Amino acid sequence: MELLEIKDLNHMFGGLKAISSLNINVKSKMIYGVIGANGAGKTTLFNLITGIYHPTTGQILLDGISLVGKQSYEISRLGVARTFQNLRLFNDLTVVENIHVGQIYRRGLGKQKTKNLSAKINSLLNLFGLDARAEDKAGNLPYGMQRKLEIARALATEPKLLLLDEPAAGMNPHEVQGLVGLIKEVKRQYSDITIILIEHQMKLVEGLCDYATVMNFGQVIANGTVQEIQNNPVVIKAYLGEA
Ligand code: ATP
Protein backbone atom coordinates (compact mmCIF):
# COMPACT_ATOMS: atom_id res chain seq x y z
CA MET A 1 0.00 0.00 0.00
CA GLU A 2 1.11 3.53 -0.78
CA LEU A 3 2.34 5.58 2.16
CA LEU A 4 3.09 8.72 0.16
CA GLU A 5 1.28 9.80 -2.98
CA ILE A 6 2.39 12.86 -4.87
CA LYS A 7 0.02 13.88 -7.62
CA ASP A 8 0.65 16.41 -10.35
CA LEU A 9 2.83 18.56 -8.10
CA ASN A 10 4.08 21.93 -9.36
CA HIS A 11 6.17 24.54 -7.64
CA MET A 12 7.27 27.89 -8.95
CA PHE A 13 9.92 30.20 -7.49
CA GLY A 14 8.95 33.39 -9.27
CA GLY A 15 9.31 32.50 -12.93
CA LEU A 16 11.32 29.33 -12.27
CA LYS A 17 9.47 26.02 -12.41
CA ALA A 18 11.39 24.02 -9.78
CA ILE A 19 8.88 21.13 -9.70
CA SER A 20 6.85 20.30 -12.79
CA SER A 21 3.91 17.86 -13.04
CA LEU A 22 5.57 15.51 -10.58
CA ASN A 23 3.94 12.17 -9.72
CA ILE A 24 5.56 9.81 -7.24
CA ASN A 25 4.12 6.90 -5.26
CA VAL A 26 6.09 5.46 -2.38
CA LYS A 27 4.96 2.16 -0.95
CA SER A 28 5.08 1.58 2.77
CA LYS A 29 8.35 0.14 4.17
CA MET A 30 10.42 0.87 1.07
CA ILE A 31 13.78 2.57 0.81
CA TYR A 32 13.11 4.86 -2.13
CA GLY A 33 15.78 6.85 -3.94
CA VAL A 34 15.39 10.26 -5.53
CA ILE A 35 18.32 11.04 -7.75
CA GLY A 36 19.23 13.84 -10.09
CA ALA A 37 21.83 16.47 -10.85
CA ASN A 38 22.26 19.76 -8.98
CA GLY A 39 19.17 21.90 -9.24
CA ALA A 40 16.90 19.01 -10.33
CA GLY A 41 14.40 19.93 -7.60
CA LYS A 42 15.11 17.19 -5.06
CA THR A 43 15.45 19.38 -1.98
CA THR A 44 12.46 21.45 -3.08
CA LEU A 45 10.46 18.21 -3.15
CA PHE A 46 11.42 17.53 0.50
CA ASN A 47 10.63 21.14 1.40
CA LEU A 48 7.17 20.70 -0.12
CA ILE A 49 6.52 17.39 1.66
CA THR A 50 7.58 18.87 5.02
CA GLY A 51 5.58 22.09 4.72
CA ILE A 52 8.56 24.45 4.44
CA TYR A 53 7.07 25.52 1.11
CA HIS A 54 3.47 25.13 0.01
CA PRO A 55 3.13 23.84 -3.55
CA THR A 56 1.80 26.09 -6.29
CA THR A 57 -0.56 23.25 -7.29
CA GLY A 58 -0.89 19.52 -6.70
CA GLN A 59 -1.47 16.96 -4.00
CA ILE A 60 0.73 15.35 -1.35
CA LEU A 61 -0.97 12.57 0.60
CA LEU A 62 0.43 10.66 3.57
CA ASP A 63 -1.66 7.60 4.34
CA GLY A 64 -4.42 9.35 2.40
CA ILE A 65 -4.20 12.56 4.48
CA SER A 66 -3.38 15.75 2.59
CA LEU A 67 -0.20 17.49 3.77
CA VAL A 68 -0.76 20.52 1.55
CA GLY A 69 -1.35 23.68 3.57
CA LYS A 70 -0.21 22.07 6.84
CA GLN A 71 2.60 23.56 8.92
CA SER A 72 5.90 21.70 9.41
CA TYR A 73 5.18 20.83 13.06
CA GLU A 74 1.82 19.31 12.09
CA ILE A 75 3.46 17.25 9.36
CA SER A 76 6.08 16.10 11.86
CA ARG A 77 3.35 14.93 14.22
CA LEU A 78 1.71 13.03 11.38
CA GLY A 79 4.95 11.05 11.20
CA VAL A 80 7.32 12.72 8.75
CA ALA A 81 10.92 13.45 9.79
CA ARG A 82 13.83 14.72 7.76
CA THR A 83 17.48 15.56 7.72
CA PHE A 84 19.05 18.45 5.84
CA GLN A 85 21.77 18.54 3.23
CA ASN A 86 23.49 21.22 5.31
CA LEU A 87 23.39 20.04 8.89
CA ARG A 88 21.02 21.78 11.27
CA LEU A 89 22.04 20.47 14.66
CA PHE A 90 21.88 22.49 17.85
CA ASN A 91 25.63 22.84 18.15
CA ASP A 92 25.62 24.12 21.74
CA LEU A 93 23.43 21.29 22.99
CA THR A 94 24.84 17.86 23.82
CA VAL A 95 24.29 14.79 21.68
CA VAL A 96 21.66 13.51 24.14
CA GLU A 97 19.92 16.90 24.22
CA ASN A 98 19.76 17.01 20.42
CA ILE A 99 18.06 13.61 20.36
CA HIS A 100 15.73 14.66 23.18
CA VAL A 101 14.68 17.71 21.14
CA GLY A 102 13.48 15.27 18.48
CA GLN A 103 11.35 13.50 21.06
CA ILE A 104 9.89 16.77 22.37
CA TYR A 105 9.16 18.00 18.87
CA ARG A 106 7.06 14.94 18.16
CA ARG A 107 5.04 15.05 21.35
CA GLY A 108 4.71 18.77 21.91
CA LEU A 109 6.07 20.69 24.86
CA GLY A 110 4.41 19.82 28.13
CA LYS A 111 2.81 16.67 26.74
CA GLN A 112 5.80 14.42 27.06
CA LYS A 113 5.48 11.06 28.61
CA THR A 114 8.97 10.83 30.04
CA LYS A 115 8.66 7.08 30.62
CA ASN A 116 10.75 5.16 28.09
CA LEU A 117 12.24 8.30 26.56
CA SER A 118 15.68 7.74 28.03
CA ALA A 119 15.61 4.07 27.04
CA LYS A 120 14.90 5.19 23.48
CA ILE A 121 17.72 7.74 23.60
CA ASN A 122 20.09 5.01 24.77
CA SER A 123 19.08 2.68 21.99
CA LEU A 124 19.60 5.45 19.41
CA LEU A 125 23.02 6.32 20.89
CA ASN A 126 23.95 2.68 20.64
CA LEU A 127 22.63 2.20 17.11
CA PHE A 128 24.52 5.26 15.84
CA GLY A 129 27.75 4.55 17.75
CA LEU A 130 27.39 7.80 19.69
CA ASP A 131 27.44 6.39 23.25
CA ALA A 132 30.91 7.61 24.11
CA ARG A 133 30.08 11.14 22.89
CA ALA A 134 26.65 11.38 24.55
CA GLU A 135 27.53 14.35 26.74
CA ASP A 136 29.69 16.18 24.18
CA LYS A 137 28.34 19.24 22.46
CA ALA A 138 27.09 18.42 18.98
CA GLY A 139 29.28 21.15 17.50
CA ASN A 140 32.40 19.40 18.83
CA LEU A 141 31.72 16.08 17.10
CA PRO A 142 33.63 15.05 13.98
CA TYR A 143 31.63 15.78 10.83
CA GLY A 144 30.69 12.13 10.08
CA MET A 145 29.24 11.77 13.59
CA GLN A 146 27.29 15.01 13.21
CA ARG A 147 25.67 13.57 10.10
CA LYS A 148 24.71 10.45 12.05
CA LEU A 149 23.35 12.53 14.92
CA GLU A 150 21.03 14.30 12.51
CA ILE A 151 19.55 10.98 11.47
CA ALA A 152 19.28 9.89 15.13
CA ARG A 153 17.42 13.10 16.02
CA ALA A 154 15.02 12.58 13.12
CA LEU A 155 14.39 8.98 14.24
CA ALA A 156 13.68 10.21 17.78
CA THR A 157 10.46 11.74 16.43
CA GLU A 158 9.33 8.15 15.68
CA PRO A 159 8.51 8.81 12.04
CA LYS A 160 6.60 6.62 9.60
CA LEU A 161 8.43 8.40 6.82
CA LEU A 162 12.07 9.44 7.10
CA LEU A 163 13.44 11.82 4.48
CA LEU A 164 17.23 11.83 4.16
CA ASP A 165 18.68 14.69 2.11
CA GLU A 166 22.07 13.64 0.79
CA PRO A 167 23.09 11.89 4.01
CA ALA A 168 26.51 11.03 2.58
CA ALA A 169 27.37 14.60 1.56
CA GLY A 170 30.94 15.43 2.53
CA MET A 171 31.72 11.91 3.75
CA ASN A 172 34.80 9.98 2.66
CA PRO A 173 34.34 6.57 0.91
CA HIS A 174 34.95 4.69 4.16
CA GLU A 175 32.30 6.76 5.96
CA VAL A 176 29.87 6.23 3.04
CA GLN A 177 30.29 2.45 3.40
CA GLY A 178 29.58 2.79 7.13
CA LEU A 179 26.48 4.84 6.37
CA VAL A 180 25.09 2.19 4.00
CA GLY A 181 25.46 -0.40 6.78
CA LEU A 182 23.90 1.97 9.29
CA ILE A 183 20.83 2.75 7.17
CA LYS A 184 20.35 -0.98 6.59
CA GLU A 185 20.49 -1.51 10.36
CA VAL A 186 17.99 1.33 10.93
CA LYS A 187 15.65 -0.42 8.48
CA ARG A 188 16.14 -3.74 10.27
CA GLN A 189 15.41 -2.29 13.72
CA TYR A 190 12.59 0.02 12.58
CA SER A 191 10.95 -2.44 10.23
CA ASP A 192 7.80 -0.35 9.63
CA ILE A 193 9.66 2.76 8.59
CA THR A 194 9.67 4.08 5.01
CA ILE A 195 12.74 5.99 3.87
CA ILE A 196 13.16 8.37 0.97
CA LEU A 197 16.76 9.13 0.23
CA ILE A 198 17.93 11.98 -1.95
CA GLU A 199 21.23 11.18 -3.48
CA HIS A 200 23.55 12.56 -5.99
CA GLN A 201 25.68 9.50 -6.40
CA MET A 202 24.31 6.28 -7.84
CA LYS A 203 26.59 4.15 -5.64
CA LEU A 204 24.73 4.83 -2.42
CA VAL A 205 21.37 4.30 -4.11
CA GLU A 206 22.56 1.00 -5.56
CA GLY A 207 23.45 -0.30 -2.12
CA LEU A 208 20.21 0.70 -0.43
CA CYS A 209 17.18 1.47 -2.54
CA ASP A 210 14.39 -0.85 -3.61
CA TYR A 211 13.13 1.62 -6.17
CA ALA A 212 14.11 5.07 -7.41
CA THR A 213 12.97 8.11 -9.32
CA VAL A 214 15.30 10.18 -11.44
CA MET A 215 14.56 13.91 -11.66
CA ASN A 216 15.82 16.44 -14.14
CA PHE A 217 14.78 20.10 -14.26
CA GLY A 218 11.90 19.50 -11.83
CA GLN A 219 10.45 16.57 -13.75
CA VAL A 220 10.50 12.80 -13.34
CA ILE A 221 12.48 11.35 -16.23
CA ALA A 222 12.46 7.73 -15.03
CA ASN A 223 11.14 5.42 -12.35
CA GLY A 224 12.20 1.88 -11.64
CA THR A 225 14.49 -0.46 -9.82
CA VAL A 226 18.06 0.76 -9.62
CA GLN A 227 19.03 -1.68 -12.36
CA GLU A 228 16.23 -0.51 -14.65
CA ILE A 229 17.29 3.09 -14.11
CA GLN A 230 20.92 2.39 -14.81
CA ASN A 231 19.96 0.80 -18.12
CA ASN A 232 17.44 3.47 -19.11
CA PRO A 233 18.75 5.37 -22.17
CA VAL A 234 16.96 8.60 -21.15
CA VAL A 235 18.69 8.54 -17.77
CA ILE A 236 22.04 7.69 -19.27
CA LYS A 237 21.74 10.60 -21.68
CA ALA A 238 20.44 13.14 -19.15
CA TYR A 239 22.35 12.22 -16.07
CA LEU A 240 24.51 9.15 -15.79
CA GLY A 241 26.42 9.84 -18.95
CA GLU A 242 27.87 12.96 -17.45
CA ALA A 243 28.38 11.57 -13.94
P1 ATP B 1 21.11 20.10 -5.13
O1 ATP B 1 21.59 18.73 -5.36
O2 ATP B 1 22.04 21.16 -5.63
O3 ATP B 1 20.62 20.36 -3.74
P2 ATP B 1 18.32 19.91 -5.88
O4 ATP B 1 17.94 18.86 -6.86
O5 ATP B 1 18.05 19.64 -4.45
O6 ATP B 1 19.83 20.29 -6.11
P3 ATP B 1 16.76 22.28 -5.49
O7 ATP B 1 17.59 22.81 -4.37
O8 ATP B 1 15.45 21.69 -5.16
O9 ATP B 1 17.59 21.23 -6.34
O10 ATP B 1 16.57 23.46 -6.54
C1 ATP B 1 15.73 23.34 -7.71
C2 ATP B 1 15.72 24.66 -8.42
O11 ATP B 1 14.98 25.62 -7.63
C3 ATP B 1 17.10 25.26 -8.62
O12 ATP B 1 17.11 25.92 -9.87
C4 ATP B 1 17.23 26.25 -7.47
O13 ATP B 1 18.09 27.31 -7.80
C5 ATP B 1 15.80 26.72 -7.31
N1 ATP B 1 15.47 27.11 -5.92
C6 ATP B 1 15.52 26.31 -4.83
N2 ATP B 1 15.11 26.97 -3.73
C7 ATP B 1 14.80 28.22 -4.14
C8 ATP B 1 14.31 29.40 -3.48
N3 ATP B 1 14.05 29.39 -2.17
N4 ATP B 1 14.12 30.50 -4.23
C9 ATP B 1 14.36 30.51 -5.55
N5 ATP B 1 14.81 29.44 -6.24
C10 ATP B 1 15.04 28.32 -5.55
Coordinates of all heavy atoms in Angstrom, one line a residue, residues 31-35 167-168 176-177 179-181 183-184 197-214 224-231 235-236 239-240 243:
I31 N 12.7 1.5 0.9 CA 13.8 2.6 0.8 C 13.8 3.1 -0.6 O 14.0 2.3 -1.6 CB 15.2 2.1 1.2 CG1 15.2 1.5 2.6 CG2 16.2 3.2 1.1 CD1 16.6 1.1 3.1
Y32 N 13.4 4.3 -0.8 CA 13.1 4.9 -2.1 C 14.1 5.9 -2.4 O 14.4 6.9 -1.6 CB 11.7 5.5 -2.1 CG 11.1 5.8 -3.4 CD1 10.0 5.0 -3.9 CD2 11.5 6.9 -4.1 CE1 9.5 5.4 -5.2 CE2 11.0 7.2 -5.4 CZ 9.9 6.4 -5.9 OH 9.3 6.7 -7.1
G33 N 14.8 5.9 -3.6 CA 15.8 6.8 -3.9 C 15.2 7.9 -4.8 O 14.4 7.7 -5.7
V34 N 15.7 9.2 -4.6 CA 15.4 10.3 -5.5 C 16.7 10.8 -6.0 O 17.5 11.3 -5.2 CB 14.6 11.4 -4.9 CG1 14.4 12.5 -5.9 CG2 13.2 10.9 -4.4
I35 N 17.0 10.6 -7.3 CA 18.3 11.0 -7.8 C 18.2 12.1 -8.9 O 17.1 12.2 -9.5 CB 19.2 9.8 -8.2 CG1 18.4 8.9 -9.1 CG2 19.7 9.1 -7.1 CD1 19.1 7.6 -9.5
P167 N 22.5 12.2 2.7 CA 23.1 11.9 4.0 C 24.6 11.6 3.9 O 25.3 11.8 4.9 CB 22.4 10.6 4.5 CG 21.8 10.0 3.2 CD 21.5 11.2 2.3
A168 N 25.1 11.3 2.7 CA 26.5 11.0 2.6 C 27.3 12.3 2.1 O 28.5 12.1 2.0 CB 26.7 9.9 1.6
V176 N 31.1 6.5 3.9 CA 29.9 6.2 3.0 C 29.5 4.8 3.2 O 28.3 4.4 3.4 CB 30.1 6.6 1.5 CG1 28.9 6.1 0.7 CG2 30.3 8.1 1.4
Q177 N 30.5 3.9 3.2 CA 30.3 2.5 3.4 C 29.6 2.2 4.8 O 28.7 1.5 4.9 CB 31.6 1.7 3.4 CG 32.0 1.1 2.0 CD 30.7 0.6 1.3 OE1 30.3 1.2 0.3 NE2 30.2 -0.6 1.7
L179 N 27.8 4.3 6.4 CA 26.5 4.8 6.4 C 25.5 3.9 5.7 O 24.4 3.7 6.2 CB 26.5 6.2 5.6 CG 25.1 6.9 5.6 CD1 24.8 7.4 7.0 CD2 25.1 8.0 4.6
V180 N 26.0 3.2 4.7 CA 25.1 2.2 4.0 C 24.7 1.1 5.0 O 23.5 0.8 5.2 CB 25.8 1.6 2.8 CG1 25.0 0.4 2.2 CG2 26.0 2.6 1.7
G181 N 25.7 0.6 5.8 CA 25.5 -0.4 6.8 C 24.5 0.1 7.9 O 23.6 -0.6 8.3
I183 N 22.2 2.6 7.6 CA 20.8 2.7 7.2 C 20.2 1.4 7.1 O 19.0 1.2 7.4 CB 20.8 3.6 5.8 CG1 21.3 5.0 6.1 CG2 19.4 3.6 5.3 CD1 21.4 5.9 4.9
K184 N 20.9 0.4 6.6 CA 20.4 -1.0 6.6 C 20.0 -1.4 8.0 O 18.9 -2.1 8.2 CB 21.4 -2.0 6.0 CG 21.5 -1.9 4.5 CD 22.4 -2.9 4.0 CE 22.4 -2.9 2.5 NZ 23.6 -3.5 1.9
L197 N 15.4 8.7 0.2 CA 16.8 9.1 0.2 C 17.1 9.9 -1.0 O 16.9 9.4 -2.1 CB 17.6 7.8 0.2 CG 19.0 7.9 0.3 CD1 19.4 7.6 1.8 CD2 19.7 6.8 -0.5
I198 N 17.5 11.2 -0.8 CA 17.9 12.0 -2.0 C 19.4 11.7 -2.1 O 20.1 11.7 -1.1 CB 17.8 13.5 -1.7 CG1 16.3 13.9 -1.7 CG2 18.6 14.3 -2.7 CD1 16.1 15.4 -1.5
E199 N 19.8 11.4 -3.3 CA 21.2 11.2 -3.5 C 21.7 11.6 -4.8 O 21.0 11.5 -5.8 CB 21.6 9.7 -3.2 CG 23.0 9.4 -2.9 CD 23.7 10.4 -2.1 OE1 23.5 10.6 -0.9 OE2 24.6 11.1 -2.7
H200 N 22.9 12.0 -4.8 CA 23.6 12.6 -6.0 C 24.3 11.4 -6.7 O 24.3 11.4 -7.9 CB 24.6 13.5 -5.4 CG 24.8 14.7 -6.1 ND1 23.7 15.5 -6.5 CD2 25.9 15.4 -6.4 CE1 24.2 16.6 -7.0 NE2 25.5 16.6 -7.0
Q201 N 24.8 10.6 -5.9 CA 25.7 9.5 -6.4 C 24.9 8.2 -6.5 O 24.2 7.9 -5.5 CB 26.9 9.2 -5.5 CG 27.4 10.4 -4.7 CD 28.3 9.9 -3.6 OE1 28.9 8.8 -3.7 NE2 28.4 10.7 -2.5
M202 N 25.0 7.5 -7.6 CA 24.3 6.3 -7.8 C 24.8 5.2 -6.9 O 24.0 4.3 -6.5 CB 24.6 5.9 -9.3 CG 23.6 5.1 -10.0 SD 21.9 5.6 -9.7 CE 21.1 5.3 -11.2
K203 N 26.0 5.3 -6.4 CA 26.6 4.2 -5.6 C 25.8 3.9 -4.3 O 25.5 2.8 -4.0 CB 28.1 4.4 -5.3 CG 29.0 4.2 -6.5 CD 30.4 4.1 -6.0 CE 31.3 3.9 -7.3 NZ 31.6 5.2 -8.0
L204 N 25.5 5.0 -3.7 CA 24.7 4.8 -2.4 C 23.3 4.3 -2.7 O 22.8 3.4 -2.0 CB 24.6 6.2 -1.7 CG 24.3 6.1 -0.2 CD1 25.5 5.9 0.6 CD2 23.5 7.3 0.2
V205 N 22.7 4.7 -3.7 CA 21.4 4.3 -4.1 C 21.4 2.8 -4.4 O 20.5 2.0 -4.0 CB 20.9 5.1 -5.3 CG1 19.5 4.6 -5.8 CG2 20.8 6.6 -4.9
E206 N 22.4 2.4 -5.2 CA 22.6 1.0 -5.6 C 22.6 0.1 -4.3 O 21.9 -0.9 -4.3 CB 23.9 0.8 -6.2 CG 24.0 0.8 -7.7 CD 25.4 0.7 -8.2 OE1 26.3 0.2 -7.4 OE2 25.6 1.2 -9.3
G207 N 23.3 0.5 -3.3 CA 23.5 -0.3 -2.1 C 22.2 -0.4 -1.2 O 22.1 -1.3 -0.4
L208 N 21.3 0.6 -1.4 CA 20.2 0.7 -0.4 C 18.8 0.6 -1.0 O 17.9 0.1 -0.3 CB 20.3 2.1 0.3 CG 21.4 2.2 1.3 CD1 21.5 3.6 1.8 CD2 21.1 1.3 2.5
C209 N 18.6 1.2 -2.2 CA 17.2 1.5 -2.5 C 16.5 0.3 -3.3 O 17.1 -0.3 -4.1 CB 17.1 2.7 -3.4 SG 17.7 4.2 -2.4
D210 N 15.2 0.1 -2.9 CA 14.4 -0.8 -3.6 C 13.9 -0.3 -5.0 O 13.7 -1.0 -5.9 CB 13.1 -1.1 -2.8 CG 13.4 -1.5 -1.4 OD1 14.2 -2.5 -1.2 OD2 13.0 -0.9 -0.4
Y211 N 13.8 1.0 -5.0 CA 13.1 1.6 -6.2 C 13.6 3.1 -6.2 O 14.0 3.6 -5.2 CB 11.6 1.6 -6.0 CG 10.8 1.7 -7.2 CD1 10.6 0.5 -8.0 CD2 10.2 2.9 -7.6 CE1 9.8 0.6 -9.2 CE2 9.4 3.0 -8.7 CZ 9.2 1.8 -9.5 OH 8.5 1.9 -10.6
A212 N 13.6 3.7 -7.4 CA 14.1 5.1 -7.4 C 13.4 5.9 -8.5 O 12.9 5.3 -9.5 CB 15.6 5.1 -7.6
T213 N 13.5 7.2 -8.3 CA 13.0 8.1 -9.3 C 14.2 9.0 -9.7 O 14.9 9.4 -8.8 CB 11.8 9.0 -8.7 OG1 10.7 8.2 -8.7 CG2 11.6 10.2 -9.5
V214 N 14.3 9.2 -11.0 CA 15.3 10.2 -11.4 C 14.6 11.5 -11.9 O 13.6 11.5 -12.6 CB 16.1 9.6 -12.6 CG1 17.2 10.6 -13.0 CG2 16.7 8.3 -12.3
G224 N 11.9 3.3 -11.5 CA 12.2 1.9 -11.6 C 13.1 1.4 -10.6 O 13.5 2.1 -9.7
T225 N 13.5 0.1 -10.7 CA 14.5 -0.5 -9.8 C 15.8 0.2 -10.2 O 15.9 0.8 -11.3 CB 14.6 -2.0 -10.0 OG1 15.0 -2.2 -11.3 CG2 13.3 -2.7 -9.7
V226 N 16.8 0.1 -9.3 CA 18.1 0.8 -9.6 C 18.7 0.2 -10.9 O 19.2 1.0 -11.8 CB 19.0 0.6 -8.4 CG1 20.4 1.2 -8.8 CG2 18.4 1.2 -7.2
Q227 N 18.5 -1.1 -11.1 CA 19.0 -1.7 -12.4 C 18.3 -1.1 -13.6 O 19.0 -0.8 -14.6 CB 18.9 -3.2 -12.3 CG 19.9 -3.9 -13.1 CD 19.7 -5.4 -13.2 OE1 18.7 -5.9 -12.6 NE2 20.6 -6.1 -13.9
E228 N 17.0 -1.0 -13.5 CA 16.2 -0.5 -14.7 C 16.7 0.9 -15.0 O 16.8 1.3 -16.1 CB 14.7 -0.5 -14.3 CG 14.1 -1.9 -14.5 CD 12.7 -1.9 -13.8 OE1 12.2 -1.0 -13.2 OE2 12.1 -3.0 -13.9
I229 N 16.9 1.7 -13.9 CA 17.3 3.1 -14.1 C 18.7 3.2 -14.8 O 18.9 4.0 -15.7 CB 17.2 3.8 -12.8 CG1 15.8 4.2 -12.5 CG2 18.1 5.0 -12.7 CD1 15.5 4.8 -11.2
Q230 N 19.6 2.3 -14.3 CA 20.9 2.4 -14.8 C 21.0 2.0 -16.3 O 21.9 2.4 -17.0 CB 21.8 1.5 -14.0 CG 22.2 2.1 -12.7 CD 23.0 1.1 -11.8 OE1 22.6 0.0 -11.7 NE2 23.9 1.6 -11.1
N231 N 20.0 1.2 -16.7 CA 20.0 0.8 -18.1 C 19.0 1.7 -19.0 O 18.9 1.4 -20.2 CB 19.5 -0.7 -18.2 CG 20.5 -1.6 -17.5 OD1 21.7 -1.3 -17.6 ND2 20.0 -2.7 -16.9
V235 N 17.9 8.2 -19.0 CA 18.7 8.5 -17.8 C 20.2 8.6 -18.1 O 20.9 9.6 -17.7 CB 18.5 7.5 -16.7 CG1 19.3 7.8 -15.4 CG2 17.0 7.4 -16.3
I236 N 20.6 7.7 -18.9 CA 22.0 7.7 -19.3 C 22.4 9.0 -20.0 O 23.4 9.7 -19.7 CB 22.4 6.5 -20.1 CG1 22.2 5.2 -19.3 CG2 23.8 6.6 -20.7 CD1 22.2 3.9 -20.1
Y239 N 21.8 12.1 -17.4 CA 22.3 12.2 -16.1 C 23.6 11.4 -15.9 O 24.7 11.8 -15.7 CB 21.3 11.8 -15.0 CG 21.8 11.9 -13.6 CD1 22.3 13.0 -13.1 CD2 21.8 10.7 -12.8 CE1 22.8 13.0 -11.8 CE2 22.2 10.7 -11.5 CZ 22.7 11.9 -11.0 OH 23.2 11.9 -9.7
L240 N 23.4 10.0 -16.1 CA 24.5 9.1 -15.8 C 25.7 9.3 -16.7 O 26.8 9.2 -16.3 CB 24.1 7.7 -15.8 CG 23.0 7.3 -14.8 CD1 22.6 5.9 -15.0 CD2 23.5 7.5 -13.4
A243 N 28.0 11.7 -15.3 CA 28.4 11.6 -13.9 C 29.8 11.1 -13.9 O 30.3 10.5 -14.8 CB 27.5 10.6 -13.2

